[in-house]
Amino acid sequence: MSTLRLTPIDPESADLIGRDDGLPAIAPERLEPDWLRRRFASPTAWTPELFEDSLRLSSQALRGAAVLIPLVPRAEGLQVLLTRRNLHLHEHAGQISFPGGRCDRQDIHPAATALREAHEEIGLRPAGTEVLGTLPLYCTASRYAVTPVVALIPAAENLQPQPDEVSEVFEVPLAFLMNPRHHELREWRPGNDVAPNPVAVRRRFLVMPYVANGQRYVIWGATAAMLRNLYRLLVA
């Protein structure tokens, strides 16, 4: 079985293919908790986007995993809670991600995995968390079949990130992420990096750059793809 070589990529150095300026932003009323509850309880028919990693790996044996997409109610609207991974981690070091990880044998549902991992990674207590539903499986280049679990969390204060795994916890407005004009399609090709890798593969992925308080956050890859599928669910 062939192995996908994971080469470190600077996503913003990849070629910009385009932005989705022609797609509508999600209407503000659809970003309210009550509307989201109704949509997940009775979803309209919709088609998730399939990205290259998922298409390439969908027929291979993958490890089960789940991530939590935590939505934080704020006066200015719902915020998406994200983490920056520790630079010393073996996989996806320094990247922006959702809290989550591998499914354990005792996990009865992907939501149990996502909540357990969020508690371990950032100290988020399951009590008071309202699971809205799940998004379709996403197959990652690191060979995980990931279930995204969308949930409303009561608050994001007093979190205790595990420093060995998480270097930062931050929030991005859901309205910003659900506006496709902020979604960039980029392509990285072998030889574009500083140390060319002849066995690496060309990759296309979404990038969602966000700037707050002088800090630039580059959301890309699987995390951006899952957010894009959340957009597809909400816009349907």
Side-chain angles (χ1 to χ4, degrees):
M1 181 171 62
S2 62
T3 300
L4 180 64
R5 179 72 174 271
L6 294 179
T7 300
I9 293 174
D10 173 8
E12 291 192 297
S13 70
D15 295 334
L16 177 63
I17 305 300
R19 295 183 178 86
D20 284 324
D21 297 333
L23 293 175
I26 300 298
E29 62 269 19
R30 295 190 173 205
L31 302 178
E32 296 292 332
D34 283 345
W35 195 95
L36 292 173
R37 291 185 182 102
R38 293 193 297 271
R39 173 49 56 96
F40 275 97
S42 183
T44 301
W46 66 290
T47 302
E49 290 192 37
L50 295 176
F51 297 88
E52 287 191 353
D53 286 345
S54 282
L55 289 170
R56 185 183 293 116
L57 296 169
S58 59
S59 62
Q60 300 186 25
L62 304 174
R63 296 164 287 185
V67 298
L68 189 70
I69 302 181
L71 305 179
V72 187
R74 300 288 187 194
E76 62 273 24
L78 288 174
Q79 310 290 304
V80 179
L81 187 119
L82 291 155
T83 71
R84 189 190 299 278
R85 293 170 60 82
N86 190 296
L87 286 171
H88 303 295
L89 291 174
H90 177 67
E91 292 182 341
H92 310 298
Q95 291 186 14
I96 291 169
S97 64
F98 297 114
R102 297 185 192 181
C103 297
D104 281 353
R105 186 172 301 174
Q106 69 270 21
D107 294 337
I108 61 174
H109 187 273
T113 301
L115 291 171
R116 174 180 53 76
E117 287 285 339
H119 183 244
E120 293 175 2
E121 285 185 23
I122 61 175
L124 177 65
R125 297 187 179 279
T129 297
E130 179 185 354
V131 174
L132 298 177
T134 62
L135 297 175
L137 279 175
Y138 184 85
C139 301
T140 71
S142 50
R143 298 187 179 277
Y144 286 98
V146 182
T147 299
V149 178
V150 183
L152 293 165
I153 66 173
E157 284 71 35
N158 301 318
L159 296 177
Q160 297 179 326
Q162 169 53 251
D164 290 340
E165 295 188 47
V166 176
S167 63
E168 183 180 2
V169 177
F170 63 98
E171 297 176 14
V172 180
L174 180 61
F176 177 92
L177 295 170
M178 295 297 101
N179 187 339
R181 69 165 47 188
H182 303 137
H183 300 179
E184 301 176 353
L185 178 63
R186 289 183 176 267
E187 181 178 83
W188 177 89
R189 295 187 302 274
N192 283 3
D193 50 345
V194 175
N197 181 352
V199 300
V201 296
R202 177 189 62 82
R203 295 180 64 190
R204 282 194 176 188
F205 44 80
L206 286 174
V207 180
M208 302 176 184
Y210 175 70
V211 178
N213 301 319
Q215 177 68 49
R216 187 173 183 85
Y217 299 96
V218 182
I219 304 162
W220 70 287
T223 302
M226 294 175 201
L227 287 166
R228 177 64 167 227
N229 276 334
L230 178 60
Y231 167 82
R232 289 297 184 187
L233 169 67
L234 301 187
V235 80

